[in-house]
Amino acid sequence: MAPSSANVASKSTPTVKKTAKVSVERKRKKAKHETFSTYIYKVLKQVHTDTGISKKSMAIMNSFIYDLHEKIALEASKLVRYNKKHTLSAREVQSAVKLLLPGELAKHAIIEGAKAVNKYTSGK
């Protein structure tokens, strides 16, 4: 006697057991929001020891720093492309600062940047 088509189908396909879904609640991690607020506060205390800063003022300063950083990085990357190079060096950043910041502010920024680069290279 030939096997029926129902028996053949059940033998060739494995049976799948249904399992109950267990709901596990996971806590979401807060996204890290990096700011310059600690550094802004340290510089403020170096300049004016008795002065504080509000949250709103700190947010404005933080936004200003991010904006300036973005502008300098964009200008420096343009300089790299104009010179047909592949590496962004301190020279391009220095030139970008000269182009973006006005007069005396650019001079001070270049001096401070050169100090930071020298400190970094001497620490290696």
Side-chain angles (χ1 to χ4, degrees), residues 91-107:
R91 185 176 181 189
E92 283 83 14
V93 175
Q94 189 173 5
S95 299
V97 168
K98 281 182 187 176
L99 289 169
L100 290 172
L101 298 180
E104 197 69 25
L105 190 58
K107 288 178 186 175

PDB file of all heavy atoms in Angstrom, residues 91-107:
ATOM      1  N   ARG A  91      49.788  73.166   9.931  1.00  0.00           N
ATOM      2  CA  ARG A  91      49.973  74.317   9.041  1.00  0.00           C
ATOM      3  C   ARG A  91      48.642  74.746   8.407  1.00  0.00           C
ATOM      4  O   ARG A  91      48.334  75.942   8.323  1.00  0.00           O
ATOM      5  CB  ARG A  91      50.988  73.969   7.956  1.00  0.00           C
ATOM      6  CG  ARG A  91      51.322  75.128   7.063  1.00  0.00           C
ATOM      7  CD  ARG A  91      52.393  74.773   6.079  1.00  0.00           C
ATOM      8  NE  ARG A  91      52.696  75.931   5.249  1.00  0.00           N
ATOM      9  CZ  ARG A  91      53.465  75.902   4.190  1.00  0.00           C
ATOM     10  NH1 ARG A  91      54.052  74.780   3.838  1.00  0.00           N
ATOM     11  NH2 ARG A  91      53.686  76.985   3.495  1.00  0.00           N
ATOM     12  N   GLU A  92      47.842  73.769   7.949  1.00  0.00           N
ATOM     13  CA  GLU A  92      46.547  74.086   7.348  1.00  0.00           C
ATOM     14  C   GLU A  92      45.584  74.667   8.386  1.00  0.00           C
ATOM     15  O   GLU A  92      44.832  75.593   8.095  1.00  0.00           O
ATOM     16  CB  GLU A  92      45.921  72.855   6.704  1.00  0.00           C
ATOM     17  CG  GLU A  92      46.523  72.477   5.364  1.00  0.00           C
ATOM     18  CD  GLU A  92      47.784  71.649   5.467  1.00  0.00           C
ATOM     19  OE1 GLU A  92      48.072  71.122   6.558  1.00  0.00           O
ATOM     20  OE2 GLU A  92      48.494  71.533   4.457  1.00  0.00           O
ATOM     21  N   VAL A  93      45.619  74.129   9.592  1.00  0.00           N
ATOM     22  CA  VAL A  93      44.751  74.645  10.659  1.00  0.00           C
ATOM     23  C   VAL A  93      45.149  76.076  10.993  1.00  0.00           C
ATOM     24  O   VAL A  93      44.291  76.948  11.165  1.00  0.00           O
ATOM     25  CB  VAL A  93      44.820  73.733  11.909  1.00  0.00           C
ATOM     26  CG1 VAL A  93      44.023  74.329  13.054  1.00  0.00           C
ATOM     27  CG2 VAL A  93      44.311  72.341  11.580  1.00  0.00           C
ATOM     28  N   GLN A  94      46.455  76.322  11.057  1.00  0.00           N
ATOM     29  CA  GLN A  94      46.952  77.668  11.352  1.00  0.00           C
ATOM     30  C   GLN A  94      46.514  78.650  10.264  1.00  0.00           C
ATOM     31  O   GLN A  94      46.065  79.761  10.572  1.00  0.00           O
ATOM     32  CB  GLN A  94      48.479  77.633  11.457  1.00  0.00           C
ATOM     33  CG  GLN A  94      49.087  78.900  11.954  1.00  0.00           C
ATOM     34  CD  GLN A  94      50.584  78.751  12.200  1.00  0.00           C
ATOM     35  OE1 GLN A  94      51.178  77.720  11.908  1.00  0.00           O
ATOM     36  NE2 GLN A  94      51.188  79.784  12.743  1.00  0.00           N
ATOM     37  N   SER A  95      46.605  78.248   9.006  1.00  0.00           N
ATOM     38  CA  SER A  95      46.173  79.115   7.907  1.00  0.00           C
ATOM     39  C   SER A  95      44.674  79.373   7.959  1.00  0.00           C
ATOM     40  O   SER A  95      44.215  80.484   7.691  1.00  0.00           O
ATOM     41  CB  SER A  95      46.536  78.476   6.562  1.00  0.00           C
ATOM     42  OG  SER A  95      47.936  78.319   6.462  1.00  0.00           O
ATOM     43  N   ALA A  96      43.901  78.341   8.328  1.00  0.00           N
ATOM     44  CA  ALA A  96      42.450  78.503   8.435  1.00  0.00           C
ATOM     45  C   ALA A  96      42.103  79.491   9.543  1.00  0.00           C
ATOM     46  O   ALA A  96      41.201  80.324   9.385  1.00  0.00           O
ATOM     47  CB  ALA A  96      41.801  77.149   8.710  1.00  0.00           C
ATOM     48  N   VAL A  97      42.827  79.435  10.660  1.00  0.00           N
ATOM     49  CA  VAL A  97      42.606  80.372  11.763  1.00  0.00           C
ATOM     50  C   VAL A  97      42.914  81.802  11.317  1.00  0.00           C
ATOM     51  O   VAL A  97      42.169  82.731  11.614  1.00  0.00           O
ATOM     52  CB  VAL A  97      43.438  79.975  13.002  1.00  0.00           C
ATOM     53  CG1 VAL A  97      43.452  81.074  14.046  1.00  0.00           C
ATOM     54  CG2 VAL A  97      42.895  78.690  13.603  1.00  0.00           C
ATOM     55  N   LYS A  98      44.007  81.965  10.562  1.00  0.00           N
ATOM     56  CA  LYS A  98      44.368  83.295  10.057  1.00  0.00           C
ATOM     57  C   LYS A  98      43.274  83.853   9.146  1.00  0.00           C
ATOM     58  O   LYS A  98      42.981  85.045   9.173  1.00  0.00           O
ATOM     59  CB  LYS A  98      45.676  83.226   9.261  1.00  0.00           C
ATOM     60  CG  LYS A  98      46.915  83.184  10.100  1.00  0.00           C
ATOM     61  CD  LYS A  98      48.137  83.178   9.197  1.00  0.00           C
ATOM     62  CE  LYS A  98      49.402  82.969   9.959  1.00  0.00           C
ATOM     63  NZ  LYS A  98      50.585  82.857   9.080  1.00  0.00           N
ATOM     64  N   LEU A  99      42.671  82.966   8.352  1.00  0.00           N
ATOM     65  CA  LEU A  99      41.631  83.408   7.426  1.00  0.00           C
ATOM     66  C   LEU A  99      40.316  83.735   8.126  1.00  0.00           C
ATOM     67  O   LEU A  99      39.598  84.643   7.714  1.00  0.00           O
ATOM     68  CB  LEU A  99      41.382  82.334   6.369  1.00  0.00           C
ATOM     69  CG  LEU A  99      42.489  82.136   5.333  1.00  0.00           C
ATOM     70  CD1 LEU A  99      42.239  80.877   4.534  1.00  0.00           C
ATOM     71  CD2 LEU A  99      42.570  83.346   4.416  1.00  0.00           C
ATOM     72  N   LEU A 100      39.987  82.994   9.178  1.00  0.00           N
ATOM     73  CA  LEU A 100      38.671  83.135   9.805  1.00  0.00           C
ATOM     74  C   LEU A 100      38.612  84.165  10.931  1.00  0.00           C
ATOM     75  O   LEU A 100      37.614  84.865  11.073  1.00  0.00           O
ATOM     76  CB  LEU A 100      38.199  81.789  10.345  1.00  0.00           C
ATOM     77  CG  LEU A 100      37.825  80.756   9.283  1.00  0.00           C
ATOM     78  CD1 LEU A 100      37.561  79.410   9.924  1.00  0.00           C
ATOM     79  CD2 LEU A 100      36.608  81.216   8.511  1.00  0.00           C
ATOM     80  N   LEU A 101      39.654  84.235  11.741  1.00  0.00           N
ATOM     81  CA  LEU A 101      39.602  85.110  12.914  1.00  0.00           C
ATOM     82  C   LEU A 101      40.216  86.473  12.588  1.00  0.00           C
ATOM     83  O   LEU A 101      41.200  86.556  11.848  1.00  0.00           O
ATOM     84  CB  LEU A 101      40.340  84.474  14.093  1.00  0.00           C
ATOM     85  CG  LEU A 101      39.768  83.149  14.595  1.00  0.00           C
ATOM     86  CD1 LEU A 101      40.595  82.625  15.765  1.00  0.00           C
ATOM     87  CD2 LEU A 101      38.321  83.286  14.996  1.00  0.00           C
ATOM     88  N   PRO A 102      39.676  87.519  13.163  1.00  0.00           N
ATOM     89  CA  PRO A 102      40.198  88.853  12.874  1.00  0.00           C
ATOM     90  C   PRO A 102      41.472  89.163  13.670  1.00  0.00           C
ATOM     91  O   PRO A 102      41.613  88.747  14.825  1.00  0.00           O
ATOM     92  CB  PRO A 102      39.057  89.777  13.321  1.00  0.00           C
ATOM     93  CG  PRO A 102      38.305  88.996  14.322  1.00  0.00           C
ATOM     94  CD  PRO A 102      38.459  87.559  13.956  1.00  0.00           C
ATOM     95  N   GLY A 103      42.387  89.859  13.030  1.00  0.00           N
ATOM     96  CA  GLY A 103      43.620  90.424  13.574  1.00  0.00           C
ATOM     97  C   GLY A 103      44.242  89.841  14.819  1.00  0.00           C
ATOM     98  O   GLY A 103      44.868  88.785  14.795  1.00  0.00           O
ATOM     99  N   GLU A 104      44.095  90.561  15.915  1.00  0.00           N
ATOM    100  CA  GLU A 104      44.753  90.222  17.177  1.00  0.00           C
ATOM    101  C   GLU A 104      44.274  88.868  17.723  1.00  0.00           C
ATOM    102  O   GLU A 104      45.054  88.126  18.306  1.00  0.00           O
ATOM    103  CB  GLU A 104      44.477  91.331  18.200  1.00  0.00           C
ATOM    104  CG  GLU A 104      45.391  91.349  19.393  1.00  0.00           C
ATOM    105  CD  GLU A 104      46.833  91.742  19.057  1.00  0.00           C
ATOM    106  OE1 GLU A 104      47.052  92.438  18.042  1.00  0.00           O
ATOM    107  OE2 GLU A 104      47.724  91.340  19.824  1.00  0.00           O
ATOM    108  N   LEU A 105      43.021  88.559  17.513  1.00  0.00           N
ATOM    109  CA  LEU A 105      42.472  87.288  17.983  1.00  0.00           C
ATOM    110  C   LEU A 105      43.142  86.115  17.273  1.00  0.00           C
ATOM    111  O   LEU A 105      43.454  85.090  17.893  1.00  0.00           O
ATOM    112  CB  LEU A 105      40.957  87.254  17.758  1.00  0.00           C
ATOM    113  CG  LEU A 105      40.177  86.121  18.395  1.00  0.00           C
ATOM    114  CD1 LEU A 105      40.368  86.108  19.902  1.00  0.00           C
ATOM    115  CD2 LEU A 105      38.714  86.222  18.050  1.00  0.00           C
ATOM    116  N   ALA A 106      43.398  86.271  15.972  1.00  0.00           N
ATOM    117  CA  ALA A 106      44.084  85.226  15.206  1.00  0.00           C
ATOM    118  C   ALA A 106      45.511  85.034  15.712  1.00  0.00           C
ATOM    119  O   ALA A 106      45.987  83.896  15.847  1.00  0.00           O
ATOM    120  CB  ALA A 106      44.094  85.585  13.726  1.00  0.00           C
ATOM    121  N   LYS A 107      46.197  86.137  16.024  1.00  0.00           N
ATOM    122  CA  LYS A 107      47.572  86.041  16.531  1.00  0.00           C
ATOM    123  C   LYS A 107      47.622  85.276  17.847  1.00  0.00           C
ATOM    124  O   LYS A 107      48.464  84.401  18.038  1.00  0.00           O
ATOM    125  CB  LYS A 107      48.167  87.437  16.717  1.00  0.00           C
ATOM    126  CG  LYS A 107      48.503  88.136  15.420  1.00  0.00           C
ATOM    127  CD  LYS A 107      49.042  89.526  15.678  1.00  0.00           C
ATOM    128  CE  LYS A 107      49.234  90.280  14.378  1.00  0.00           C
ATOM    129  NZ  LYS A 107      49.646  91.673  14.596  1.00  0.00           N
TER     130      LYS A 107
END
